[in-house]
Amino acid sequence: KAGVTQTPRYLIKTRGQQVTLSCSPISGHRSVSWYQQTPGQGLQFLFEYFSETQRNKGNFPGRFSGRQFSNSRSEMNVSTLELGDSALYLCASSAVAGGADTQYFGPGTRLTVL
Amino acid sequence: AQSVSQHNHHVILSEAASLELGCNYSYGGTVNLFWYVQYPGQHLQLLLKYFSGDPLVKGIKGFEAEFIKSKFSFNLRKPSVQWSDTAEYFCAVSGSARQLTFGSGTQLTVLP
């Protein structure tokens, strides 16, 4: 099975712009979660989507949003970019709806905000 | 709120040495526990996981971890490390929701 794919792999934006990141889960997986990884804050949960509905949200400002499509693919959007948004954004997918299942991660999108 | 502590930020070992990385968590309910590894330039990969049952779990590449409920710990072990084990290791916990809470990570450097 193909793993989680994320596009693009690298992005450079300037402050104030917006960005959209894309994630395709493992075939058959219906849950997609997003995480932000930075050297200072580590890995932090952004949000989770299941069956096109946001099920859980982390402690991030409203500039961070997402959605999931009927084919389980997900997008994440960050509006009005700030320098502190520079990070590796990771997408993870899992198969079942429930706590006891495993998340599999994609390679990430490296976002640099200038 | 759940939290995870990894007390060792950077561990340096010689090849063939034994490894133990500490992980302690704080959570009020039933937990699911994970160790992920991030090799240089690669994405996060699952090493092993614990949901229930035998508290000693075995993962890939010779790694194992023991869940000690009374100590809220899930330490990672390997009897003999190799140079190729150089990577960053993350302990993570989830509860009733699928959200993973990660520790700050431990950078392992194995000297040849």
PDB file of all heavy atoms in Angstrom, chain A residues 2 5 26 38 42 44-46 48 51 57 60 64-65 69 75-77 89 93 95 97 100-102 105 108:
ATOM      1  N   ALA A   2       0.446   2.222  -0.752  1.00  0.00           N
ATOM      2  CA  ALA A   2       1.178   3.476  -0.736  1.00  0.00           C
ATOM      3  C   ALA A   2       0.946   4.154   0.604  1.00  0.00           C
ATOM      4  O   ALA A   2      -0.103   4.004   1.238  1.00  0.00           O
ATOM      5  CB  ALA A   2       0.678   4.370  -1.863  1.00  0.00           C
ATOM      6  N   THR A   5       0.772  10.633   1.517  1.00  0.00           N
ATOM      7  CA  THR A   5       1.502  11.563   0.669  1.00  0.00           C
ATOM      8  C   THR A   5       1.082  12.988   0.979  1.00  0.00           C
ATOM      9  O   THR A   5      -0.098  13.241   1.293  1.00  0.00           O
ATOM     10  CB  THR A   5       1.289  11.264  -0.825  1.00  0.00           C
ATOM     11  OG1 THR A   5      -0.106  11.329  -1.116  1.00  0.00           O
ATOM     12  CG2 THR A   5       1.813   9.882  -1.184  1.00  0.00           C
ATOM     13  N   ILE A  26      -3.512   6.999   3.494  1.00  0.00           N
ATOM     14  CA  ILE A  26      -3.374   5.626   3.033  1.00  0.00           C
ATOM     15  C   ILE A  26      -4.745   5.140   2.560  1.00  0.00           C
ATOM     16  O   ILE A  26      -5.770   5.456   3.183  1.00  0.00           O
ATOM     17  CB  ILE A  26      -2.836   4.732   4.163  1.00  0.00           C
ATOM     18  CG1 ILE A  26      -1.380   5.128   4.489  1.00  0.00           C
ATOM     19  CG2 ILE A  26      -2.927   3.254   3.824  1.00  0.00           C
ATOM     20  CD1 ILE A  26      -0.831   4.489   5.736  1.00  0.00           C
ATOM     21  N   THR A  38       8.043  22.009  15.182  1.00  0.00           N
ATOM     22  CA  THR A  38       9.042  23.075  15.221  1.00  0.00           C
ATOM     23  C   THR A  38      10.113  22.716  16.237  1.00  0.00           C
ATOM     24  O   THR A  38       9.845  21.967  17.174  1.00  0.00           O
ATOM     25  CB  THR A  38       8.427  24.429  15.620  1.00  0.00           C
ATOM     26  OG1 THR A  38       7.844  24.290  16.932  1.00  0.00           O
ATOM     27  CG2 THR A  38       7.370  24.873  14.636  1.00  0.00           C
ATOM     28  N   GLY A  42       8.196  21.477  19.395  1.00  0.00           N
ATOM     29  CA  GLY A  42       8.065  20.055  19.138  1.00  0.00           C
ATOM     30  C   GLY A  42       6.879  19.752  18.243  1.00  0.00           C
ATOM     31  O   GLY A  42       6.502  20.547  17.386  1.00  0.00           O
ATOM     32  N   GLN A  44       3.037  19.314  17.691  1.00  0.00           N
ATOM     33  CA  GLN A  44       1.790  19.754  18.290  1.00  0.00           C
ATOM     34  C   GLN A  44       0.619  19.434  17.380  1.00  0.00           C
ATOM     35  O   GLN A  44       0.687  19.660  16.172  1.00  0.00           O
ATOM     36  CB  GLN A  44       1.831  21.257  18.567  1.00  0.00           C
ATOM     37  CG  GLN A  44       2.848  21.659  19.622  1.00  0.00           C
ATOM     38  CD  GLN A  44       2.737  23.135  19.945  1.00  0.00           C
ATOM     39  OE1 GLN A  44       3.109  23.983  19.147  1.00  0.00           O
ATOM     40  NE2 GLN A  44       2.188  23.437  21.106  1.00  0.00           N
ATOM     41  N   PHE A  45      -0.456  18.968  17.976  1.00  0.00           N
ATOM     42  CA  PHE A  45      -1.660  18.582  17.249  1.00  0.00           C
ATOM     43  C   PHE A  45      -2.421  19.815  16.786  1.00  0.00           C
ATOM     44  O   PHE A  45      -2.663  20.742  17.562  1.00  0.00           O
ATOM     45  CB  PHE A  45      -2.534  17.734  18.170  1.00  0.00           C
ATOM     46  CG  PHE A  45      -3.899  17.432  17.645  1.00  0.00           C
ATOM     47  CD1 PHE A  45      -4.089  16.465  16.672  1.00  0.00           C
ATOM     48  CD2 PHE A  45      -5.000  18.103  18.136  1.00  0.00           C
ATOM     49  CE1 PHE A  45      -5.352  16.181  16.195  1.00  0.00           C
ATOM     50  CE2 PHE A  45      -6.276  17.819  17.673  1.00  0.00           C
ATOM     51  CZ  PHE A  45      -6.447  16.859  16.704  1.00  0.00           C
ATOM     52  N   LEU A  46      -2.803  19.807  15.512  1.00  0.00           N
ATOM     53  CA  LEU A  46      -3.592  20.902  14.946  1.00  0.00           C
ATOM     54  C   LEU A  46      -5.072  20.547  14.936  1.00  0.00           C
ATOM     55  O   LEU A  46      -5.890  21.225  15.540  1.00  0.00           O
ATOM     56  CB  LEU A  46      -3.120  21.215  13.533  1.00  0.00           C
ATOM     57  CG  LEU A  46      -1.854  22.072  13.436  1.00  0.00           C
ATOM     58  CD1 LEU A  46      -1.156  21.852  12.110  1.00  0.00           C
ATOM     59  CD2 LEU A  46      -2.208  23.540  13.606  1.00  0.00           C
ATOM     60  N   GLU A  48      -8.114  17.150  13.589  1.00  0.00           N
ATOM     61  CA  GLU A  48      -8.376  15.821  13.036  1.00  0.00           C
ATOM     62  C   GLU A  48      -9.709  15.836  12.304  1.00  0.00           C
ATOM     63  O   GLU A  48     -10.682  16.443  12.773  1.00  0.00           O
ATOM     64  CB  GLU A  48      -8.428  14.769  14.143  1.00  0.00           C
ATOM     65  CG  GLU A  48      -8.615  13.352  13.592  1.00  0.00           C
ATOM     66  CD  GLU A  48      -9.619  12.542  14.381  1.00  0.00           C
ATOM     67  OE1 GLU A  48     -10.021  12.961  15.471  1.00  0.00           O
ATOM     68  OE2 GLU A  48      -9.998  11.464  13.887  1.00  0.00           O
ATOM     69  N   SER A  51     -14.571  11.446   8.187  1.00  0.00           N
ATOM     70  CA  SER A  51     -15.803  11.536   7.391  1.00  0.00           C
ATOM     71  C   SER A  51     -16.196  12.980   7.154  1.00  0.00           C
ATOM     72  O   SER A  51     -17.360  13.376   7.383  1.00  0.00           O
ATOM     73  CB  SER A  51     -16.951  10.784   8.095  1.00  0.00           C
ATOM     74  OG  SER A  51     -16.693   9.408   8.114  1.00  0.00           O
ATOM     75  N   LYS A  57      -9.739  19.522  17.751  1.00  0.00           N
ATOM     76  CA  LYS A  57      -8.931  20.668  17.356  1.00  0.00           C
ATOM     77  C   LYS A  57      -7.938  20.975  18.458  1.00  0.00           C
ATOM     78  O   LYS A  57      -8.289  20.952  19.643  1.00  0.00           O
ATOM     79  CB  LYS A  57      -9.823  21.870  17.100  1.00  0.00           C
ATOM     80  CG  LYS A  57      -9.109  23.047  16.462  1.00  0.00           C
ATOM     81  CD  LYS A  57     -10.091  24.179  16.172  1.00  0.00           C
ATOM     82  CE  LYS A  57      -9.507  25.253  15.286  1.00  0.00           C
ATOM     83  NZ  LYS A  57      -8.228  25.798  15.734  1.00  0.00           N
ATOM     84  N   PHE A  60      -4.603  26.134  18.459  1.00  0.00           N
ATOM     85  CA  PHE A  60      -4.031  27.007  17.434  1.00  0.00           C
ATOM     86  C   PHE A  60      -5.045  28.077  17.075  1.00  0.00           C
ATOM     87  O   PHE A  60      -6.248  27.863  17.190  1.00  0.00           O
ATOM     88  CB  PHE A  60      -3.651  26.190  16.185  1.00  0.00           C
ATOM     89  CG  PHE A  60      -2.329  25.480  16.314  1.00  0.00           C
ATOM     90  CD1 PHE A  60      -2.236  24.271  16.975  1.00  0.00           C
ATOM     91  CD2 PHE A  60      -1.183  26.036  15.773  1.00  0.00           C
ATOM     92  CE1 PHE A  60      -1.028  23.617  17.108  1.00  0.00           C
ATOM     93  CE2 PHE A  60       0.037  25.387  15.891  1.00  0.00           C
ATOM     94  CZ  PHE A  60       0.105  24.179  16.568  1.00  0.00           C
ATOM     95  N   PHE A  64      -5.563  28.921  11.285  1.00  0.00           N
ATOM     96  CA  PHE A  64      -5.311  27.544  10.854  1.00  0.00           C
ATOM     97  C   PHE A  64      -6.660  26.844  10.666  1.00  0.00           C
ATOM     98  O   PHE A  64      -7.461  26.777  11.608  1.00  0.00           O
ATOM     99  CB  PHE A  64      -4.484  26.792  11.896  1.00  0.00           C
ATOM    100  CG  PHE A  64      -3.076  27.285  12.013  1.00  0.00           C
ATOM    101  CD1 PHE A  64      -2.774  28.419  12.767  1.00  0.00           C
ATOM    102  CD2 PHE A  64      -2.038  26.620  11.370  1.00  0.00           C
ATOM    103  CE1 PHE A  64      -1.467  28.874  12.867  1.00  0.00           C
ATOM    104  CE2 PHE A  64      -0.727  27.062  11.474  1.00  0.00           C
ATOM    105  CZ  PHE A  64      -0.450  28.194  12.224  1.00  0.00           C
ATOM    106  N   SER A  65      -6.896  26.344   9.500  1.00  0.00           N
ATOM    107  CA  SER A  65      -8.158  25.663   9.234  1.00  0.00           C
ATOM    108  C   SER A  65      -7.901  24.473   8.322  1.00  0.00           C
ATOM    109  O   SER A  65      -6.821  24.342   7.740  1.00  0.00           O
ATOM    110  CB  SER A  65      -9.168  26.612   8.589  1.00  0.00           C
ATOM    111  OG  SER A  65      -8.696  27.051   7.330  1.00  0.00           O
ATOM    112  N   PHE A  69     -12.264  15.914   2.221  1.00  0.00           N
ATOM    113  CA  PHE A  69     -13.148  15.637   1.105  1.00  0.00           C
ATOM    114  C   PHE A  69     -13.734  14.229   1.214  1.00  0.00           C
ATOM    115  O   PHE A  69     -13.299  13.425   2.042  1.00  0.00           O
ATOM    116  CB  PHE A  69     -12.383  15.819  -0.206  1.00  0.00           C
ATOM    117  CG  PHE A  69     -11.792  17.193  -0.364  1.00  0.00           C
ATOM    118  CD1 PHE A  69     -10.480  17.455   0.004  1.00  0.00           C
ATOM    119  CD2 PHE A  69     -12.565  18.248  -0.852  1.00  0.00           C
ATOM    120  CE1 PHE A  69      -9.933  18.732  -0.111  1.00  0.00           C
ATOM    121  CE2 PHE A  69     -12.027  19.523  -0.977  1.00  0.00           C
ATOM    122  CZ  PHE A  69     -10.716  19.761  -0.595  1.00  0.00           C
ATOM    123  N   GLU A  75      -7.055  18.933   3.213  1.00  0.00           N
ATOM    124  CA  GLU A  75      -6.262  20.138   3.011  1.00  0.00           C
ATOM    125  C   GLU A  75      -6.204  20.928   4.307  1.00  0.00           C
ATOM    126  O   GLU A  75      -7.151  20.914   5.099  1.00  0.00           O
ATOM    127  CB  GLU A  75      -6.880  21.018   1.917  1.00  0.00           C
ATOM    128  CG  GLU A  75      -6.701  20.475   0.525  1.00  0.00           C
ATOM    129  CD  GLU A  75      -7.288  21.412  -0.532  1.00  0.00           C
ATOM    130  OE1 GLU A  75      -8.028  22.349  -0.180  1.00  0.00           O
ATOM    131  OE2 GLU A  75      -7.005  21.177  -1.728  1.00  0.00           O
ATOM    132  N   MET A  76      -5.095  21.606   4.456  1.00  0.00           N
ATOM    133  CA  MET A  76      -4.926  22.494   5.589  1.00  0.00           C
ATOM    134  C   MET A  76      -4.588  23.877   5.044  1.00  0.00           C
ATOM    135  O   MET A  76      -3.798  24.004   4.107  1.00  0.00           O
ATOM    136  CB  MET A  76      -3.773  22.013   6.464  1.00  0.00           C
ATOM    137  CG  MET A  76      -3.638  22.724   7.775  1.00  0.00           C
ATOM    138  SD  MET A  76      -2.080  22.344   8.570  1.00  0.00           S
ATOM    139  CE  MET A  76      -1.229  23.852   8.271  1.00  0.00           C
ATOM    140  N   ASN A  77      -5.201  24.892   5.612  1.00  0.00           N
ATOM    141  CA  ASN A  77      -4.988  26.263   5.148  1.00  0.00           C
ATOM    142  C   ASN A  77      -4.499  27.135   6.309  1.00  0.00           C
ATOM    143  O   ASN A  77      -5.003  27.012   7.430  1.00  0.00           O
ATOM    144  CB  ASN A  77      -6.298  26.819   4.590  1.00  0.00           C
ATOM    145  CG  ASN A  77      -6.117  28.198   4.005  1.00  0.00           C
ATOM    146  OD1 ASN A  77      -6.166  29.201   4.713  1.00  0.00           O
ATOM    147  ND2 ASN A  77      -5.879  28.262   2.709  1.00  0.00           N
ATOM    148  N   TYR A  89       4.928  20.666   8.584  1.00  0.00           N
ATOM    149  CA  TYR A  89       3.536  20.295   8.819  1.00  0.00           C
ATOM    150  C   TYR A  89       3.347  18.844   8.399  1.00  0.00           C
ATOM    151  O   TYR A  89       3.568  18.483   7.239  1.00  0.00           O
ATOM    152  CB  TYR A  89       2.591  21.244   8.071  1.00  0.00           C
ATOM    153  CG  TYR A  89       2.600  22.609   8.704  1.00  0.00           C
ATOM    154  CD1 TYR A  89       3.503  23.577   8.283  1.00  0.00           C
ATOM    155  CD2 TYR A  89       1.738  22.913   9.754  1.00  0.00           C
ATOM    156  CE1 TYR A  89       3.543  24.818   8.893  1.00  0.00           C
ATOM    157  CE2 TYR A  89       1.774  24.154  10.370  1.00  0.00           C
ATOM    158  CZ  TYR A  89       2.687  25.094   9.942  1.00  0.00           C
ATOM    159  OH  TYR A  89       2.739  26.323  10.559  1.00  0.00           O
ATOM    160  N   SER A  93      -2.588   9.552   8.902  1.00  0.00           N
ATOM    161  CA  SER A  93      -3.887   8.922   8.664  1.00  0.00           C
ATOM    162  C   SER A  93      -4.031   7.669   9.514  1.00  0.00           C
ATOM    163  O   SER A  93      -3.040   7.040   9.900  1.00  0.00           O
ATOM    164  CB  SER A  93      -4.077   8.593   7.177  1.00  0.00           C
ATOM    165  OG  SER A  93      -3.327   7.459   6.767  1.00  0.00           O
ATOM    166  N   ALA A  95      -7.015   4.255  10.333  1.00  0.00           N
ATOM    167  CA  ALA A  95      -8.086   3.516   9.678  1.00  0.00           C
ATOM    168  C   ALA A  95      -9.431   3.628  10.363  1.00  0.00           C
ATOM    169  O   ALA A  95     -10.464   3.736   9.706  1.00  0.00           O
ATOM    170  CB  ALA A  95      -7.693   2.039   9.580  1.00  0.00           C
ATOM    171  N   ALA A  97     -12.331   4.735  13.548  1.00  0.00           N
ATOM    172  CA  ALA A  97     -12.807   5.818  14.398  1.00  0.00           C
ATOM    173  C   ALA A  97     -12.775   5.333  15.833  1.00  0.00           C
ATOM    174  O   ALA A  97     -13.571   4.528  16.238  1.00  0.00           O
ATOM    175  CB  ALA A  97     -14.216   6.214  14.010  1.00  0.00           C
ATOM    176  N   ALA A 100      -8.104   3.631  19.982  1.00  0.00           N
ATOM    177  CA  ALA A 100      -7.080   2.593  19.884  1.00  0.00           C
ATOM    178  C   ALA A 100      -6.773   2.255  18.438  1.00  0.00           C
ATOM    179  O   ALA A 100      -7.088   1.186  17.960  1.00  0.00           O
ATOM    180  CB  ALA A 100      -7.517   1.352  20.638  1.00  0.00           C
ATOM    181  N   ASP A 101      -6.208   3.190  17.744  1.00  0.00           N
ATOM    182  CA  ASP A 101      -5.713   2.852  16.425  1.00  0.00           C
ATOM    183  C   ASP A 101      -4.441   3.648  16.164  1.00  0.00           C
ATOM    184  O   ASP A 101      -4.089   4.513  16.938  1.00  0.00           O
ATOM    185  CB  ASP A 101      -6.761   3.097  15.336  1.00  0.00           C
ATOM    186  CG  ASP A 101      -7.017   4.560  15.113  1.00  0.00           C
ATOM    187  OD1 ASP A 101      -7.540   5.193  16.033  1.00  0.00           O
ATOM    188  OD2 ASP A 101      -6.705   5.060  14.022  1.00  0.00           O
ATOM    189  N   THR A 102      -3.772   3.319  15.104  1.00  0.00           N
ATOM    190  CA  THR A 102      -2.425   3.823  14.870  1.00  0.00           C
ATOM    191  C   THR A 102      -2.427   4.864  13.780  1.00  0.00           C
ATOM    192  O   THR A 102      -3.075   4.687  12.753  1.00  0.00           O
ATOM    193  CB  THR A 102      -1.505   2.666  14.475  1.00  0.00           C
ATOM    194  OG1 THR A 102      -1.542   1.677  15.509  1.00  0.00           O
ATOM    195  CG2 THR A 102      -0.073   3.148  14.283  1.00  0.00           C
ATOM    196  N   PHE A 105       2.331   8.485   9.459  1.00  0.00           N
ATOM    197  CA  PHE A 105       2.683   9.845   9.071  1.00  0.00           C
ATOM    198  C   PHE A 105       3.225   9.940   7.645  1.00  0.00           C
ATOM    199  O   PHE A 105       3.899   9.022   7.153  1.00  0.00           O
ATOM    200  CB  PHE A 105       3.721  10.408  10.040  1.00  0.00           C
ATOM    201  CG  PHE A 105       3.140  10.794  11.361  1.00  0.00           C
ATOM    202  CD1 PHE A 105       2.924   9.850  12.345  1.00  0.00           C
ATOM    203  CD2 PHE A 105       2.783  12.116  11.615  1.00  0.00           C
ATOM    204  CE1 PHE A 105       2.366  10.204  13.569  1.00  0.00           C
ATOM    205  CE2 PHE A 105       2.223  12.478  12.833  1.00  0.00           C
ATOM    206  CZ  PHE A 105       2.016  11.529  13.808  1.00  0.00           C
ATOM    207  N   GLY A 108       5.675  15.145   5.283  1.00  0.00           N
ATOM    208  CA  GLY A 108       5.572  16.522   5.732  1.00  0.00           C
ATOM    209  C   GLY A 108       5.748  17.540   4.624  1.00  0.00           C
ATOM    210  O   GLY A 108       6.290  17.248   3.557  1.00  0.00           O
TER     211      GLY A 108
END
